[in-house]
Each structure stands twice: as structure tokens, then as C-alpha cells.
Amino acid sequence: MASNLPAPYLVADHVGLELVNTLGAPYGEELDWLINGQELLSWMVAVELLTVGDAERLAGDLTESDLETAAGELRSLRAEMQENVPEASPEFMQRLNDLLASGRGRYEIETSAEGQRNMRFQPLLETANDLVVRVAVEIAELFCLNTPERMRECGSPTCTYWFHDNTRNNRRRWCSMAVCGNRAKVKAHRARQ
């Protein structure tokens, strides 16, 4: 999918938390990767919620208005999530439950190359609401399978990004050691000079 924006800055280490990071300024100026329906599809491909083929099919099957509605719904969900990270309120959990209840899909059996069979749920991706539900599933998983102390905002005073700390000692401080962590090291070094 062609995007008019730079690639999303994916540092959250969990797709559900990446939604909060769709609004930020990792390249200097503030960018919104959910600004419209086309960018929504591009972001969903980047975070591997859609294949390129699925995104192209949906771009052809859905109207621009449908895609704009989905992008608007996810911008609204993002704003609510920003208020509910790392501890989700009962109201936010109910919002997620309502979205999950509107989801559609089917179960299918996959057989691996080794002959191992697994059953998995395959969400339907046919409507604008299906896109919103696909993201809501990831958010629900984030809050159900992870502890709040593992979700952190970057330690840089100028960064707004969140990440899921999957380090063994649970001491990660920066969304990216290469960017925010390095800036902090440089600043500390200059202060010592």
C-alpha cells in the first residue's frame, strides 16, 4: 500500500500499544498515521494486521467514506486508549467488549509443514467495522495478557511514545535506545563536560 507518510515508527513491541503511537513526532513534525482511510490501511499493513493483498482488496471494495469512518473510529479509540494506558478503566473495557461483540469471523484448521494441526480464529475483513474490530482485538489482548507495569511511556521528556517492556528485568526506559536513549546519553555526556 502506498502511503504519503514516512513508515510508522514501530517501537511499542505490541500491536495493541502501537495504536497509541500512531500520533507522534518521531521524524521532527507531528504525524498521524490514521489521518485518513488510505493511511489507516498502510498502517495496518505495517503492523501486520493486514496483508498487502487484503489492503488492496479492501481499498477497492470499500468506499472512501467507509475507510474514513474506520479511520475516525480508530482515532477516537486511540484518544480513549491514551487515557487508559497502562490501567484500563471499566468503561474502556466495556467499549472494547462492545467492539469485540460486533466482530465477525470463522474458525479454520491450519496444517503446518510438519503435519501439526491448529485451529485458529480468522476474522472477516469485509467492512470498515471489521478493520476497527481487528485493532480492538489486539488492544484487548494487550490488556488481558500483559501486566500494567510492563506498559510504559518513554523516559524522554520530549517523546510521547509508549512501549511494552519485554526485557527480563523490566527496566527498559526508552521507546528506542537508538533514538531517545542515545539522546539522553549525549545530553548526560555534554552535562559532564
Side-chain angles (χ1 to χ4, degrees):
M1 289 293 326
S3 173
N4 294 321
L5 298 174
Y9 193 59
L10 304 176
V11 294
D13 291 325
H14 193 287
V15 175
L17 202 50
E18 289 294 357
L19 179 67
V20 175
N21 296 344
T22 57
L23 182 65
Y27 303 108
E29 69 179 87
E30 186 170 88
L31 299 171
D32 185 349
W33 281 274
L34 302 177
I35 191 71
N36 59 42
Q38 183 67 36
E39 295 302 337
L40 164 64
L41 291 175
S42 295
W43 175 77
M44 290 184 78
V45 168
V47 296
E48 299 178 354
L49 290 178
L50 293 176
T51 65
V52 172
D54 285 336
E56 289 172 350
R57 178 182 54 78
L58 288 164
D61 291 351
L62 299 176
T63 67
E64 188 174 323
S65 176
D66 289 338
L67 290 172
E68 293 300 322
T69 299
E73 181 73 22
L74 284 172
R75 286 191 301 270
S76 173
L77 188 62
R78 173 182 64 199
E80 290 176 55
M81 190 171 171
Q82 288 169 332
E83 299 296 321
N84 283 280
V85 174
E87 290 279 351
S89 69
E91 296 80 18
F92 186 67
M93 287 290 114
Q94 185 58 52
R95 168 96 154 99
L96 288 176
N97 276 332
D98 293 344
L99 283 169
L100 296 174
S102 70
R104 303 171 316 129
R106 65 180 184 273
Y107 285 93
E108 63 185 29
I109 299 170
E110 293 181 318
T111 305
S112 69
E114 298 82 31
Q116 175 87 21
R117 291 187 185 125
N118 294 306
M119 186 171 68
R120 71 181 180 110
F121 184 75
Q122 182 63 40
L124 288 182
L125 295 169
E126 297 172 349
T127 68
N129 188 61
D130 293 339
L131 297 173
V132 176
V133 170
R134 185 72 187 92
V135 175
V137 167
E138 296 297 325
I139 297 167
E141 178 187 272
L142 173 73
F143 283 111
C144 292
L145 300 179
N146 295 290
T147 56
E149 61 270 8
R150 290 282 182 171
M151 290 182 258
R152 287 203 191 93
E153 193 166 13
C154 182
S156 172
T158 60
C159 185
T160 61
Y161 276 56
W162 283 80
F163 60 89
H164 175 252
D165 186 355
N166 55 11
T167 61
R168 194 176 316 171
N169 63 5
N170 195 27
R171 297 183 109 186
R172 183 174 160 189
R173 295 177 53 199
W174 318 108
C175 66
S176 167
M177 192 60 204
V179 178
C180 289
N182 191 47
R183 287 180 188 152
K185 283 182 178 180
V186 168
K187 185 177 179 179
H189 176 74
R190 287 184 180 154
R192 287 190 301 268
Q193 295 305 314

